[in-house]
Amino acid sequence: MARDPRFDILFEPVQIGPVTSKNRFYQVPHCNGMGYGLPMGLAAMRGVKAEGGWGVVCTEEVEIHPTSDVTPAFEGRLWDDSDIPALALMTEAVHAHGSLAGLELVHNGHHSPNRYSRVPPIAPSAMAVDTYDPVQARAMDKADIRAFRQWHRDAALRGKQAGFDIIYVYAGHNLCLPMHFIAKRYNDRTDEYGGSLENRVRLFRELIEDTKEAVGNSCAVAVRFAVDELLGPDGITAQDEGREVVEMLAEMPDLWDVNVSDWSNDSLTSRFGEEGNQESYVGFVKSLTSKPVVGVGRFTSPDAMVSQIRRGVLDMIGAARPSIADPFLPKKLEEGRIEEIRECIGCNICVSGDMQCVPIRCTQNPTMGEEWRRGWHPEKIAPKGSDDSVLVVGAGPAGLECSLALAKRGYEVTLAEAGAELGGRVTCESQLPGLSQWARVRDYRVGRLQEMANVSIYRESPLSAPDVRDFGFARVIIATGASWRRDGLGRALRAPLPGLDQTTVYTRDDLMAGGVVGDHLVVYDDDHYYMGGVLAEKLIAEGHRVTLVTPAAMASAWTENTLEQHHIQSRLLSLGVEIIVSHRLSGLEKGAARVTCVYSERDKAIACDGVVLVTERLPKDGLYRELADNPDGLTQAGITSLRAIGDCYAPATVAAAVYGGHLAARELDDPSPEPVPFLREPRRL
Ligand code: ADP
Ligand code: SF4
């Protein structure tokens, strides 16, 4: 198919200093949990982005020196020449597809406690590191500043040697040293690097000059700068110092990559912000410079991208998450396959990999992070290994993904769903406050499945074990999901909750069905991801008073890994939700919930009209068990393989269900070898 001429503008080349991007698609730097630890996996992942058509593909943060060591996180590393070959793997993979490779050099100043290198951190002024490590940074003297400039210059030269085309001077986010100098609150120096904005910008300016001088003849020098920290007058704002910095340095770099800070605002989830939400902050930059401007905004709509260019907001469409959810987004647009784009849902599960120091994963793209170790490709999959027919039971994320991947392999797939609607939990949960975009998990897959001649979908078809045996399919996959427990069992409680018959108990499904009665509800969250918080929001929106109780030290504790925790707790408090932390639910009484402090064991009663339990889920594995426990029945029915996937196998995230579905499809004729089902990178001795 030919591409829609409306999108031609996105495929125009862009000159960036001495190099040229073949189009306007720019994969901005993004962390991935592989970094220096898993360079082969990293190179393969970046290579797939280039293959998918991104004109520029950047690294994540790449540490330039042991004084900036963010261990245990796996970022890039260019401390000395021995780090060059690992990064050269990435530039080769990117160049193989005619794209430019960008290197984000970083020094994290007092954001790096240097747990591995054990070097005291450095900062513009003496201050505590901004993690909770019991470590303080020392103030840099002039010799330190000279040394720092030299490290940066050396790293730029190493980057050039590794084959990079674009080298960054990085002051995006409030995590890095040049930004620490610029921000007043971190800089109380009285020399020429402190005081006036001009002085505070001096180091940033010098780094740009140094980098241009070192590598500028062959590499473009980009800056990443957060024009607004969303801290009001306490920080840099786009109205004053953010704007002034761009004015001062306007023509110095070859490219401006502009964003907002901190990372949780930059990578705002769809629960808290719309596509293109940074425009009101970064929109001024282009009016101040003739150099190309890149910005982000979880852009997945090509019309929104074109609009950014035509209205003079951006020159290049920056993307981290949209390129993770669909590395082939540019190719699909170029080839007129717009409806095949797998749109990011804005959940930040991708960030959780980096936060937990493991390879990146993605809700929408199960192949993300698996390119090297499992040899998975987002657009290619092995053809079917037999003519076996396959029955998939349950059309939630796991069943839909499994059906799609099997159908792409060429299998005849029958998908049976008990309900009238497809999508399982995402169809349900996308109706909860802030989660509407999660429906994209369903929409992308249902859209593809409906176009395929080898797929039959049956709605309102609850299947029993005899049904499954009678159909005569050779392969059966069970994806029947899970339901929330009604008995309070969870991490904090391993015996039945006393008094369950004393107060009305609700689960997510009851809330979705409506009919919650009473004024004051206690939401008990021992799940710690999003569900407790969104149910509290829903109840507030419906006019109830809500107290959220959690054994954790904060609301929705796991969402620290998706950069949402602060946003969630702030929102709940602003909505009037009372939050009681470090308490477990210990019993129910007439008109009250009894909660116990996890430290003191002191308990208290909270008067309420009902309790919403968000603790564990029970796999709906009855169908699977009934089939599996009767192997003779399977044999007689001609069923040669039976597999449970997704939440009915082990309840977890939507991302895990999609991944489980994809894995089962890839492994239909060739189950994983044990004990390690994927390649492991050799460790350097
Ligand atoms: P997962 O996250 O693992 O995909 P979900 O709970 O989202 O799980 O989806 C499971 C789907 O399976 C639901 O849409 C549910 O209606 C469907 N389902 C459950 N039991 C049956 C059954 N016996 N026959 C057909 N569909 C079923
Ligand atoms: Fe988007 Fe979620 Fe995938 Fe990240 S994990 S790229 S936010 S869909």
Side-chain angles (χ1 to χ4, degrees):
M1 248 187 283
R3 88 169 168 242
D4 186 327
R6 274 187 304 155
F7 306 136
D8 284 355
I9 194 169
L10 299 172
F11 293 90
E12 291 171 352
V14 180
Q15 181 82 32
I16 312 171
V19 298
T20 304
S21 169
K22 64 184 173 188
N23 60 33
R24 296 185 189 268
F25 292 97
Y26 194 109
Q27 183 243 275
V28 293
H30 72 76
C31 299
N32 51 80
M34 296 194 274
Y36 71 87
L38 301 170
M40 303 214 278
L42 180 58
M45 181 269 280
R46 300 288 190 205
V48 164
K49 302 274 197 89
E51 187 189 349
W54 296 87
V56 178
V57 178
C58 294
T59 61
E60 61 281 22
E61 290 190 339
V62 175
E63 303 166 350
I64 63 169
H65 193 263
T67 48
S68 174
D69 150 33
V70 293
T71 312
F74 285 111
E75 309 303 328
R77 217 161 242 186
L78 257 183
W79 289 2
D80 63 27
D81 288 357
S82 72
D83 292 315
I84 293 173
L87 281 164
L89 291 176
M90 172 198 155
T91 59
E92 283 160 25
V94 169
H95 290 158
H97 300 284
S99 304
L100 300 176
L103 169 65
E104 185 183 61
L105 296 178
V106 71
H107 193 295
N108 276 303
H110 75 274
H111 179 66
S112 28
N114 300 342
R115 297 169 184 139
Y116 169 62
S117 69
R118 301 180 68 176
V119 184
I122 52 176
S125 311
M127 70 181 86
V129 294
D130 70 0
T131 58
Y132 282 165
D133 295 69
V135 170
Q136 292 198 197
R138 64 185 182 81
M140 293 165 75
D141 62 19
K142 293 286 178 52
D144 292 318
I145 291 178
R146 280 195 298 278
F148 168 62
R149 288 176 58 184
Q150 188 64 44
W151 304 332
H152 196 279
R153 186 189 160 87
D154 292 347
L157 286 165
R158 287 189 195 107
K160 177 175 167 173
Q161 219 180 314
F164 285 98
D165 310 285
I166 301 173
I167 312 260
Y168 269 78
V169 180
Y170 177 47
H173 306 134
N174 50 10
L175 306 176
C176 49
L177 194 51
M179 194 59 149
H180 298 159
F181 272 79
I182 296 170
K184 262 189 284 208
R185 66 189 183 283
Y186 296 135
N187 184 342
D188 62 9
R189 301 178 74 93
T190 52
D191 63 5
E192 67 270 33
Y193 290 96
S196 67
L197 181 62
E198 193 174 356
N199 281 356
R200 285 180 277 126
V201 169
R202 187 177 309 280
L203 182 61
F204 192 27
R205 177 194 294 276
E206 288 172 345
L207 292 178
I208 300 169
E209 285 165 354
D210 292 345
T211 312
K212 286 214 98 160
E213 205 264 321
V215 299
N217 56 342
S218 55
C219 300
V221 175
V223 300
R224 189 157 220 219
F225 177 58
V227 297
D228 203 307
E229 298 182 283
L230 275 57
L231 294 174
D234 292 340
I236 291 162
T237 67
Q239 287 79 42
D240 47 45
E241 292 196 339
R243 184 183 181 94
E244 287 166 47
V245 170
V246 180
E247 271 166 359
M248 282 178 192
L249 309 176
E251 297 301 313
M252 284 186 68
D254 296 314
L255 174 136
W256 282 93
D257 176 349
V258 284
N259 63 348
V260 298
S261 188
D262 61 8
W263 188 15
S264 76
N265 292 318
D266 192 16
S267 291
L268 198 62
T269 57
S270 57
R271 193 170 161 188
F272 295 96
E274 300 289 310
E275 177 172 356
N277 67 305
Q278 296 199 19
E279 182 179 331
S280 57
Y281 300 101
V282 305
F284 73 88
V285 176
K286 250 190 79 63
S287 67
L288 298 180
T289 178
S290 66
K291 303 300 167 114
V293 176
V294 179
V296 292
R298 206 164 21 78
F299 292 115
T300 59
S301 146
D303 289 313
M305 297 176 196
V306 168
S307 162
Q308 292 284 313
I309 311 289
R310 290 226 184 274
R311 289 185 296 112
V313 183
L314 302 174
D315 296 294
M316 301 187 80
I317 301 301
R321 292 171 293 176
S323 76
I324 293 166
D326 198 338
F328 274 62
L329 187 154
K331 267 265 146 63
K332 289 176 181 176
L333 267 181
E334 190 171 24
E335 294 170 1
R337 297 187 287 131
I338 181 170
E339 68 294 337
E340 289 181 36
I341 293 172
R342 222 173 12 247
E343 290 185 288
C344 168
I345 70 166
C347 62
N348 279 4
I349 281 291
C350 46
V351 174
S352 74
D354 182 60
M355 300 295 274
Q356 300 192 310
C357 312
V358 291
I360 188 168
R361 60 226 41 218
C362 170
T363 301
Q364 277 284 56
N365 174 10
T367 68
M368 180 47 50
E370 303 292 345
E371 299 82 355
W372 182 82
R373 70 177 193 175
R374 284 191 186 268
W376 288 1
H377 188 282
E379 302 300 316
K380 296 179 200 155
I381 190 162
K384 63 181 182 177
S386 71
D387 288 330
D388 287 350
S389 56
V390 190
L391 170 67
V392 178
V393 185
L400 287 174
E401 174 61 25
C402 188
S403 301
L404 180 57
L406 285 169
K408 284 184 177 169
R409 296 191 61 190
Y411 281 100
E412 285 291 331
V413 179
T414 298
L415 174 59
E417 163 56 45
E421 288 187 273
L422 305 177
R425 65 183 284 197
V426 290
T427 294
C428 167
E429 292 173 16
S430 61
Q431 290 156 46
L432 289 166
L435 302 187
S436 62
Q437 294 204 5
W438 292 39
R440 290 174 167 184
V441 172
R442 172 199 63 203
D443 295 344
Y444 163 72
R445 290 170 177 82
V446 171
R448 305 284 65 66
L449 285 165
Q450 282 172 343
E451 289 167 355
M452 299 173 97
N454 53 335
V455 178
S456 310
I457 301 178
Y458 296 93
R459 293 172 168 82
E460 297 182 271
S461 305
L463 300 189
S464 64
D467 291 337
V468 172
R469 283 192 292 260
D470 286 349
F471 284 135
F473 290 96
R475 312 286 199 141
V476 176
I477 309 255
I478 306 292
T480 44
S483 56
W484 288 94
R485 295 189 77 116
R486 295 188 161 273
D487 55 7
L489 256 68
R491 292 173 172 85
L493 181 76
R494 298 311 318 168
L497 184 68
L500 272 170
D501 54 349
Q502 298 295 302
T503 298
T504 315
V505 164
Y506 300 99
T507 67
R508 179 206 70 174
D509 294 336
D510 303 320
L511 266 65
M512 299 309 297
V516 174
V517 287
D519 170 37
H520 183 206
L521 278 300
V522 168
V523 174
Y524 176 58
D525 184 7
D526 196 14
D527 170 63
H528 309 291
Y529 190 18
Y530 58 91
M531 186 56 72
V534 289
L535 292 184
E537 274 191 55
K538 178 176 165 63
L539 289 167
I540 290 280
E542 290 169 1
H544 301 279
R545 278 193 304 126
V546 178
T547 301
L548 185 129
V549 177
T550 174
M554 61 187 87
S556 303
W558 195 81
T559 62
E560 285 206 297
N561 295 305
T562 56
L563 306 174
E564 292 176 292
Q565 197 283 326
H566 189 89
H567 292 298
I568 291 173
Q569 192 145 346
S570 301
R571 177 176 285 178
L572 293 179
L573 291 171
S574 73
L575 291 173
V577 175
E578 186 189 357
I579 299 175
I580 299 179
V581 299
S582 305
H583 279 71
R584 65 173 183 273
L585 187 62
S586 45
L588 301 181
E589 298 164 0
K590 257 212 165 7
R594 188 153 284 281
V595 298
T596 303
C597 171
V598 299
Y599 297 108
S600 68
E601 292 298 319
R602 277 197 287 271
D603 67 352
K604 61 182 177 189
I606 305 171
C608 63
D609 302 301
V611 175
V612 182
L613 293 174
V614 186
T615 59
E616 282 182 356
R617 284 178 292 153
L618 286 168
K620 286 190 202 162
D621 58 358
L623 176 60
Y624 172 75
R625 287 270 146 246
E626 202 180 331
L627 290 165
D629 291 348
N630 181 359
D632 291 343
L634 292 178
T635 310
Q636 281 157 20
I639 297 172
T640 56
S641 73
L642 170 72
R643 183 166 181 167
I645 58 171
D647 290 339
C648 85
Y649 188 52
T653 57
V654 175
V658 169
Y659 181 78
H662 192 84
L663 180 68
R666 294 240 181 203
E667 290 185 341
L668 190 75
D669 19 61
D670 195 11
S672 282
E674 295 294 340
V676 182
F678 47 78
L679 297 177
R680 299 170 74 198
E681 301 217 17
R683 292 277 162 205
R684 282 195 289 172
L685 293 176

